[in-house]
Amino acid sequence: MTETFLGMPATAPAGVGNLRGDEPFPVAARRALADAQLRRNLRHATGTIRAKSAAVIGEVPDWPELRAAGRAIKSDTMARLPELLEQLEAAVTAAGGTVHWATDAVEANRIVTDLVRATGADRVMKVKSMATQEIGLNEALEAAGIEPVETDLAELIVQLGRDRPSHILVPAIHRNRAEIREVFLREMPGVDPALTDEPAALAAAARRHLRATFLSTKVAVSGANFAVAETGTLAVVESEGNGRMCLTLPETLITVMGIEKVIPTWDDLGVFLQLLPRASTGERMNPYTSMWTGVTPGDGPQQVHLVLLDNGRSAVLADEVGRQALHCIRCSACLNVCPVYERTGGHAYGSVYPGPIGAVLSPQLTGVEENASLPYASSLCGACFDACPVMIDIPSVLVHLRARHVAEQRAARRTPSAEAVAMAAAAYTMDHPRLYAAAQRAAGLGRIAGRALPPPLNGWTASRDVPAAPPQTFRQWWSERSRS
């Protein structure tokens, strides 16, 4: 089964789910930049998380060694992925669970919907469900007459507000307390009209709203942070306790997990449980770490299903440079340090995976041409590489994907693009000294005329200035120096 699953052609499948935006990144980003409140919300939230994370990372003297260990484990996992997935399937099955294989979003949604229908339930509760957001599971369940209820506080805010997540760790990071209060008053049944925007009051309102759901819902859908191939153990880490309720109370538990989340051994899990909380929430350890291995008679869910999701990951694995994006442990550290994300927010990326990691992962899952603007949504400053707990070289992958985009565009065009013509003209000019000297003199005249380019090059200078030409070229300076 695994050989066929990972032996797909190295192209992204159809039905990839919520990985594409309706408009290119520059268009969405320009609109986000005009939203002053959004920028204030993002600046405050990312600054707070950065400070907390830096403080707890500073307490660990062997942090560089931990990062290197995490990278080594992930590299080994990708090199042996078919073998480890087969080992995981065997271990989960031996422990009483059932493993399903989903090639793409369409197949994954069908599998989950059929499993829920088989229980007779018309409602499911969800936790740690980024993979289900990727495939659009909520929409598929609703189309089948099944109500999905998000139990993570931030994801609940997004769901009630009919919004979209904008951050990997804090999906409602673009909302402030006053906005969340308005969402609760408008959408949450039975909420106290005197509800304030104090965090404790908002959390208490959500707790009361969810309590009945926890006690009456027979089916839960979860994601997974890690899956241990050696034992068949799945792990979810979270801060609120909602995950613990979802993973222990229902009769049926369905976990949707990307195939890259597998790790080889129980000992390997210890490395990531040190890296993840410090890099993500700025905590020394996660308040709730839940692990389960198949079915335990009389304790917890008695029907346990694991849906292993490809949805383009085989194509990513086939790219020797790009595959390191599959090392991601969804900590969001790269988002919190990214100057582009801090100013535009997650919605501008159009994908459920925003920020630097989304800029390298989403185009590979969908095919670069489907998300061609995302590899350019970066200044290449390298802050993401410095912050990543598993040392993903995001800037290098971004440059690699830009090169792929250029190559694919060139192969698809019958006539050269304006950019290609401009570059060819520049190369010809630089190869002919007299022509190059004339161009330098023309640049000097441009210093007098202004710092904006004429059409069709004015699109480049619409948001930036052309660097002013120096008053004297190097050749002129050298000539004068030689005469003196």
Side-chain angles (χ1 to χ4, degrees):
M1 183 66 173
T2 311
E3 181 177 349
T4 303
F5 191 66
L6 290 172
M8 296 163 50
T11 56
V16 289
N18 294 324
L19 292 169
R20 301 185 185 99
D22 296 328
E23 53 192 3
F25 177 84
V27 176
R30 191 174 296 117
R31 186 169 54 254
L33 288 170
D35 188 338
Q37 183 61 59
L38 171 67
R39 296 180 67 178
R40 282 193 294 271
N41 293 349
L42 290 168
R43 185 167 55 250
H44 172 74
T46 55
T48 300
I49 297 171
R50 279 199 306 269
K52 288 180 60 181
S53 181
V56 295
I57 287 174
E59 299 172 353
V60 183
D62 62 344
W63 183 252
E65 289 76 16
L66 271 175
R67 293 179 72 208
R71 178 176 62 176
I73 293 167
K74 282 293 187 176
S75 296
D76 173 60
T77 297
M78 294 305 112
R80 300 191 292 128
L81 190 56
E83 166 198 337
L84 292 173
L85 289 173
E86 288 181 339
Q87 185 181 6
L88 175 66
E89 179 184 33
V92 170
T93 303
T98 304
V99 177
H100 311 262
W101 300 79
T103 300
D104 58 17
V106 174
E107 187 172 9
N109 287 333
R110 178 186 57 77
I111 290 169
V112 176
T113 301
D114 288 348
L115 289 172
V116 176
R117 279 177 171 159
T119 69
D122 59 4
R123 180 173 62 184
V124 300
M125 52 185 177
K126 297 178 64 203
V127 67
K128 276 290 176 183
S129 52
M130 179 155 279
T132 69
Q133 292 168 2
E134 174 189 328
I135 63 176
L137 179 62
N138 281 9
E139 294 85 347
L141 291 174
E142 289 168 352
I146 300 166
E147 178 192 6
V149 179
E150 299 288 355
T151 65
D152 177 271
L153 178 55
E155 289 173 351
L156 175 65
I157 293 166
V158 168
Q159 184 181 37
L160 291 176
R162 297 176 178 84
D163 203 349
R164 292 177 296 132
S166 63
H167 191 275
I168 289 175
L169 179 67
V170 193
I173 196 172
H174 56 289
R175 298 278 196 182
N176 60 31
R177 297 185 310 180
E179 292 170 325
I180 294 168
R181 173 181 175 273
E182 291 302 317
V183 170
F184 280 13
L185 289 174
R186 186 176 66 247
E187 302 291 342
M188 187 176 285
V191 70
D192 183 355
L195 178 68
T196 70
D197 64 0
E198 289 300 313
L202 295 172
R207 188 179 301 114
R208 285 190 295 270
H209 172 71
L210 291 171
R211 188 164 295 156
T213 300
F214 288 136
L215 296 175
S216 62
T217 306
K218 297 181 179 181
V219 181
V221 176
S222 83
N225 292 99
F226 307 102
V228 182
E230 179 182 55
T231 61
T233 302
L234 305 182
V236 162
V237 297
E238 37 110 12
S239 301
E240 300 168 14
N242 57 301
R244 185 69 54 82
M245 303 287 275
C246 285
L247 299 171
T248 57
L249 290 178
E251 298 172 4
T252 300
L253 174 60
I254 305 166
T255 300
V256 181
M257 185 191 84
I259 55 176
E260 79 280 13
K261 295 296 186 71
V262 66
I263 56 176
T265 70
W266 186 264
D267 287 343
D268 295 331
L269 182 61
V271 173
F272 295 108
L273 291 182
Q274 294 178 75
L275 288 170
L276 181 56
R278 287 180 166 85
S280 58
T281 55
E283 296 171 300
R284 295 177 182 87
M285 64 181 293
N286 292 100
Y288 295 90
T289 300
S290 301
M291 304 181 194
W292 66 102
T293 306
V295 175
T296 301
D299 183 14
Q302 296 302 290
Q303 294 291 326
V304 173
H305 298 270
L306 172 60
V307 181
L308 292 172
L309 176 68
D310 188 321
N311 205 36
R313 287 160 174 81
S314 292
V316 183
L317 188 65
D319 188 321
E320 292 186 2
V321 176
R323 71 174 57 158
Q324 59 183 299
L326 296 178
H327 295 187
C328 177
I329 59 175
R330 306 294 190 268
C331 70
S332 77
C334 61
L335 280 72
N336 299 328
V337 300
C338 177
V340 176
Y341 175 87
E342 184 177 312
R343 287 159 178 80
T344 65
H347 291 162
Y349 293 81
S351 168
V352 69
Y353 301 117
I357 189 61
V360 296
L361 182 58
S362 299
Q364 294 191 86
L365 292 176
T366 64
V368 174
E369 289 308 296
E370 294 293 334
N371 266 311
S373 66
L374 290 188
Y376 298 91
S378 171
S379 66
L380 300 180
C381 68
C384 49
F385 183 26
D386 294 338
C388 178
V390 290
M391 303 175 70
I392 301 171
D393 188 355
I394 292 177
S396 293
V397 181
L398 286 167
V399 172
H400 169 69
L401 294 179
R402 292 178 186 185
R404 276 182 53 182
H405 168 60
V406 170
E408 290 174 18
Q409 285 280 299
R410 184 179 295 126
R413 283 182 177 271
R414 297 193 176 193
T415 58
S417 66
E419 182 183 13
V421 171
M423 291 297 105
Y428 182 85
T429 299
M430 292 178 184
D431 197 40
H432 294 75
R434 290 184 180 178
L435 192 57
Y436 184 62
Q440 286 182 313
R441 290 193 294 272
L445 294 175
R447 184 170 60 88
I448 301 172
R451 299 180 69 179
L453 294 174
L457 305 176
N458 56 337
W460 195 87
T461 55
S463 57
R464 57 179 71 81
D465 288 333
V466 176
Q472 188 180 45
T473 68
F474 173 79
R475 291 185 179 189
Q476 291 170 336
W477 173 84
W478 184 261
S479 178
E480 291 179 6
R481 183 178 183 277
S482 298
R483 289 198 300 267
S484 61

